[in-house]
Structures are given as structure tokens and as C-alpha cells.
Amino acid sequence: MSAPLLCEGRVVVVTGAGRGLGRAHALAYAAEGARVVVNDLGVGLDGTPGPGSPAGQVVDEIRSAGGDAVAHGGDVATTEGAASLVRAALETYGRLDTLVNNAGFLRDRMLVNLDEDDWDAVMRVHLKGHFLPLKHAAAYWRAEAKAGRPPVARVVNTSSGAGLLGSVGQGNYSAAKAGIVGLTLVAAAELGRYGVQVNAIAPAARTRMTERVFAATMAAPGGGGGFDAMAPENVSPLVVWLGSAGSAGVTGRVFEAEGGRITVMEGWRAGPCVDRGARWTPAEVGDAVVKLLAGAEVPGAVYGAG
């Protein structure tokens, strides 16, 4: 007797699902029994329009394997695009259970060369492109809860190591990905009362966005067997589990996923502290801070720093 599928009957939306991580997530959800709304605008790495959306190709892959999926080509960084994404799930399948926010692109520049348009474009797609689908999905789930139909809803957001530690040449991307962590924490706190869990991942995998960074194939240390540690499919099992009913009780967390490794990331928290109970002078502050830093943990290195 085969094991039950983890997401049997669930309806899952994945943004930016035409390629890379999003495609891997969509296929993995379908393999676990989910019905999938595959969103992809079909643009280039810099966010400009491409020759056509690959979302339909992913839908064809899912259907060829016996799954159920529908394509959505709207821009999730617009109110109408995000609203239509949620409507696509409701009108096609009658419900929405899981939202995976994954869409994004790069416009890398050193800060002194970073144009305002490059900043705005990356913020728009990564940060606004997370906020708007989350807002519209959350409105649906809140209405369901108030109508006496509490959902078992899940949101998986996509941050990055760049958002947790910073990355040289990626000030816009790092800031947007850090913002996604903050959004995740707030959403988890606000939406829990409605049956919604919200988590984030910081994946490391070979995609169009990272192919210049990662070699074509990297064997995991001691892994053997031709294991491709940078394959995007390695990240998807965690995303599928977080988006399933089986992840009950897990919310407001950030997980790093790379190869066969999963790490619970522990964010900003109070470290060494001193309180003199009165106002400091600047000189006194300097002495106090030096002593505090001597007892504090050293922060992780910014990616790409010398």
C-alpha cells in the first residue's frame, strides 16, 4: 500500500514558477497530490518581457505526469495581477490552501552605480510581489475563517542569504530579501488567528539568477552517487512540507536550504546590554560599546566581501 500523498486535495499557487526554483516547487507539489496554479510572467533576468511565458510548459509537464494544474500569466507586483492570481485558484478549483511567493529577478550593481530604476524594479518584484499576493490570499482566508470555515492555510516566502547577511553588488536585492523576512514575521503574527502559517526560506540553488555563481554540478561533501547539491529540486521538499497540513505549528520561521542541508536561521535578538540608568556622554558611550562588542558574537561575513 503506497503512502498517502502529503498535499492530496490542496490547492497551491506558486509565483515565478516557469523556471528554476518555482518550476521545481510546482512539480513537487503536483507530485504530492496538489492542484497547482503556475504563475509566471515570462520575463528576462532583468525583468523585461521575454518571448513568452513558460508557465504553460510547466502545466503541460504536470498534466503529462497525471497531475492537475493551470497557468496564470499576470504580474503579481500589481494589485490586479495579484487579485487575479487568487481568483484563478478560486474559480478553477474552488479554494486556495497554500501560497508560495517565489517570483524575482536581479539587477546587480555596486551601490555607487545602482540607478534608482534598478532599485525600484527589484523592490517592486521581490517585495511588492510578495506583499500583494499575500494580501489578497490573506483576505480570502480571513473571510473563510469569519464564515466559520477556518482554513489550514500556508504561505512560504522566498528570502535569501543575501537578505540575512548582505551581498556585495546586490544592495537592492539584499534589502528586498531582508524586507521579505520582516514581512514574514509580521504576517505570521497577524494571520495566525485565521489559521494561516507563514514561513520563509533562504535557498541556495542553481537557477538563471545564480548560474554564474554556482558551477553546473557540485557534489555534496561525502554525498557521492552523483548528487547535484545545487539542483533547485533539493529545496522543494522543504517548501512542500511547509505548505502542507503536516507543518502544523511551524510559523514565523526562516529556513536556509542548500543541497541536503536544512538550517533553522536565528535572527536578530538581544545580545550584551548595559543600562546606566541615566544619560550617557558620547565618550562614555564609546567606552561602553567597545566593552559590549567584546562580549558579542561576531556577525557573519557579507557575501562577496574581501
Side-chain angles (χ1 to χ4, degrees):
M1 183 176 178
S2 59
L5 298 176
L6 193 62
C7 294
E8 187 72 57
R10 292 181 70 80
V11 174
V12 178
V13 164
V14 185
T15 70
R19 303 180 179 92
L21 282 166
R23 172 183 171 273
H25 300 340
L27 293 172
Y29 271 109
E32 287 292 338
R35 294 166 288 176
V36 186
V37 179
V38 180
N39 164 266
D40 199 282
L41 189 57
V43 299
L45 281 175
D46 64 353
T48 56
S53 174
Q57 298 176 22
V58 177
V59 168
D60 289 343
E61 286 186 76
I62 290 173
R63 290 176 176 172
S64 295
D68 193 351
V70 63
H72 177 269
D75 182 355
V76 297
T78 67
T79 294
E80 176 51 35
S84 70
L85 177 64
V86 173
R87 283 200 306 271
L90 300 182
E91 291 174 359
T92 306
Y93 299 118
R95 60 185 296 138
L96 172 60
D97 300 291
T98 297
L99 168 64
V100 179
N101 281 316
N102 171 77
F105 63 78
L106 298 176
R107 289 193 183 178
D108 293 352
R109 304 280 192 281
M110 301 299 280
L111 284 173
V112 296
N113 297 321
L114 187 62
D115 292 334
E116 186 176 355
D117 288 346
D118 295 327
W119 177 274
D120 289 345
V122 168
M123 286 293 171
R124 176 184 179 277
V125 171
H126 285 275
L127 197 48
K128 194 174 181 182
H130 270 62
F131 159 64
L132 287 173
L134 175 56
K135 171 185 170 68
H136 288 279
Y140 161 70
W141 288 322
R142 182 182 64 175
E144 288 292 287
K146 289 185 173 182
R149 298 183 295 271
V152 180
R154 306 287 186 261
V155 178
V156 184
N157 291 329
T158 306
S159 183
S160 168
L164 303 177
L165 294 175
S167 180
V168 171
Q170 294 188 310
N172 49 0
Y173 178 75
S174 297
K177 289 302 192 183
I180 288 168
V181 172
L183 178 63
T184 298
L185 300 180
V186 172
E190 290 186 358
L191 302 178
R193 72 191 72 178
Y194 306 123
V196 184
Q197 294 183 181
V198 188
N199 294 285
I201 61 166
R206 185 181 60 256
T207 68
R208 287 196 308 166
M209 288 172 55
T210 61
E211 61 187 0
R212 296 179 182 177
V213 179
F214 300 125
T217 302
M218 293 177 59
F227 174 50
D228 181 357
M230 290 295 103
E233 289 79 9
N234 299 330
V235 177
S236 298
L238 173 62
V239 175
V240 170
W241 183 80
L242 288 172
S244 75
S247 64
V250 180
T251 193
R253 295 286 192 164
V254 179
F255 299 87
E256 190 173 64
E258 176 182 351
R261 187 177 73 242
I262 297 170
T263 306
V264 178
M265 305 304 288
E266 297 182 336
W268 294 103
R269 62 188 62 205
C273 173
V274 61
D275 182 357
R276 67 173 298 175
R279 183 178 300 151
W280 301 80
T281 69
E284 290 169 338
V285 165
D287 291 339
V289 169
V290 168
K291 291 177 181 178
L292 289 174
L293 291 176
E297 291 187 13
V298 177
V302 173
Y303 290 110

